[in-house]
Amino acid sequence: MTDFIHKVTPEDEGLQVKDIMRQYFDFSARLRNRIKREKLVTLNGSVTEGWIKTTAGDIVKITLPDEKSNFLPQDIPLHPVFEDDDILVLNKQPGLIVHPTKGHPTGTVANALMSYMEKTGRHFKIRFVNRLDMDTSGLLVVAKNAYCQNDYTRQMKEGLVEKRYIAIVTGTPASDSGIIDLPIGRPDPADVRRGVMENGAPSVTHYRVLERFPSSVYPCGYSLVELLLETGRTHQIRVHMSHIGHPILGDRLYGGENIHLMERQALHAARLSFTHPITKERLDIEAPIPDDMRRAIEKLRA
């Protein structure tokens, strides 16, 4: 469990416990209500009511509710790159769906996490705060409590989370860098594909060419690019790069298929930067390019 502790200052004196909670801890109304219902607030070590007034030197402690998920545990490999009591960041392998769905009720990251918790003696409710497509590899963040989930979501809305991807794209962009500011929507509700649409959601992608691969074997050529997202629409990178004529290598859905180089889209969530919700430390986390993308790059350089 995660505890939040505040020592009442002379300036705080006379405030009720519930006022201390609101003033110093950014809990959602739903979380505050649950904390109250489960009597998870103490004043100087004793369970207290929210209306009790505080005096200087008092210690207010709030404990977050103990929660668990109930997915089927499955022995699927996971690759943690950062973990503490509040946050888990995984380097997700390609081919793995993040969350169970009707079409894929098992064989997901959630199922793998249940097994991971059994093996490590941990338990928490699984809260994915970002998502990756099944065939996209890289950094996936799991919040272990509602407070961290809410704080990370706030950071994303305020543009405080930096997400950088590495991709191999078809063709060689004329410019070394650029900004794609085009709205994305879903033309057909029955089709999973997204597209650039006038009435779509605002979507902004920055790209920078890292390396170009002109080739006589692959006349169209390919390029290694870094992508920075300002927004997080479904399939955003895939749609934007395809729209400007440079679909992701291996992306069957958006026109980048080449089974001789890659059997999935060559897209990897390589770097993530955000502020830890509890410690307030700025985290800068990286995940190395996976083997299949590395092999494709070596072929293109040959």
Side-chain angles (χ1 to χ4, degrees):
M1 293 186 183
T2 297
D3 293 331
F4 294 82
I5 297 173
H6 176 72
K7 185 175 182 179
V8 178
T9 67
E11 291 75 22
D12 298 332
E13 188 159 11
L15 290 177
Q16 295 180 355
V17 170
K18 63 182 179 182
D19 297 326
I20 295 290
M21 284 182 62
R22 288 194 176 95
Q23 184 167 323
Y24 289 99
F25 305 110
D26 188 21
F27 299 135
S28 67
R30 182 178 179 182
L31 182 55
R32 283 199 307 269
N33 288 336
R34 184 167 180 185
I35 289 169
K36 177 183 176 181
R37 187 169 62 250
E38 297 187 17
K39 300 185 181 303
L40 297 174
V41 183
T42 64
L43 181 64
N44 300 323
S46 299
V47 174
T48 186
E49 298 293 341
W51 54 266
I52 298 295
K53 289 186 177 181
T54 61
T55 58
D58 283 347
I59 301 297
V60 177
K61 184 174 81 169
I62 301 124
T63 300
L64 293 185
D66 193 13
E67 299 176 295
K68 296 181 181 179
S69 288
N70 192 32
F71 302 110
L72 174 70
Q74 290 183 285
D75 190 13
I76 299 169
L78 286 178
H79 307 286
V81 293
F82 175 87
E83 183 173 18
D84 63 11
D85 291 339
D86 303 290
I87 294 286
L88 171 63
V89 183
L90 303 170
N91 181 10
K92 185 187 85 70
Q93 62 267 44
L96 195 60
I97 290 175
V98 171
H99 198 279
T101 63
K102 287 184 179 180
H104 295 87
T106 58
T108 70
V109 175
N111 301 112
L113 278 170
M114 293 300 294
S115 176
Y116 174 76
M117 284 188 272
E118 287 184 349
K119 293 174 183 177
T120 58
R122 297 176 172 91
H123 67 272
F124 52 86
K125 186 172 181 179
I126 298 167
R127 292 177 164 91
F128 296 108
V129 292
N130 70 323
R131 298 290 178 97
L132 297 176
D133 296 337
M134 179 176 73
D135 287 330
T136 298
S137 58
L139 296 170
L140 180 68
V141 182
V142 183
K144 294 185 177 182
N145 55 63
Y147 178 85
C148 289
Q149 179 186 34
N150 294 339
D151 189 78
Y152 189 95
T153 301
R154 174 193 61 80
Q155 290 186 53
M156 287 196 295
K157 288 180 179 177
E158 295 178 7
L160 302 176
V161 176
E162 185 179 283
K163 298 175 285 186
R164 292 184 184 271
Y165 291 72
I166 298 293
I168 305 170
V169 301
T170 304
T172 54
S175 300
D176 289 338
S177 62
I179 301 174
I180 308 168
D181 185 355
L182 296 168
I184 291 176
R186 192 169 184 173
D188 181 355
D191 192 330
V192 71
R193 284 176 293 186
R194 270 63 173 176
V196 170
M197 299 173 59
E198 186 175 345
N199 61 344
S203 308
V204 181
T205 303
H206 299 250
Y207 71 86
R208 180 168 67 94
V209 178
L210 302 177
E211 189 173 355
R212 290 180 170 85
F213 308 111
S215 172
S216 57
V217 178
Y218 306 105
C220 63
Y222 289 92
S223 301
L224 184 68
V225 298
E226 180 187 63
L227 302 122
L228 172 65
L229 297 184
E230 281 191 30
T231 53
R233 311 303 175 198
T234 299
H235 297 179
Q236 178 175 318
I237 290 173
R238 299 165 65 187
V239 170
H240 272 171
M241 296 310 294
S242 178
H243 186 81
I244 66 169
H246 301 291
I248 306 294
L249 167 63
D251 191 348
R252 297 179 180 88
L253 200 60
Y254 295 104
E257 183 175 7
N258 185 331
I259 59 173
H260 301 293
L261 286 171
M262 288 281 291
E263 295 184 357
R264 57 106 179 177
Q265 67 252 18
L267 182 60
H268 177 65
R271 186 172 176 179
L272 186 64
S273 181
F274 63 97
T275 299
H276 191 292
I278 306 298
T279 68
K280 304 308 177 184
E281 174 189 3
R282 190 69 181 175
L283 298 179
D284 193 359
I285 302 172
E286 297 185 20
I289 295 175
D291 290 342
D292 59 350
M293 282 184 65
R294 197 174 298 281
R295 288 192 296 267
I297 291 170
E298 289 172 356
K299 288 180 181 178
L300 291 167
R301 284 174 177 160

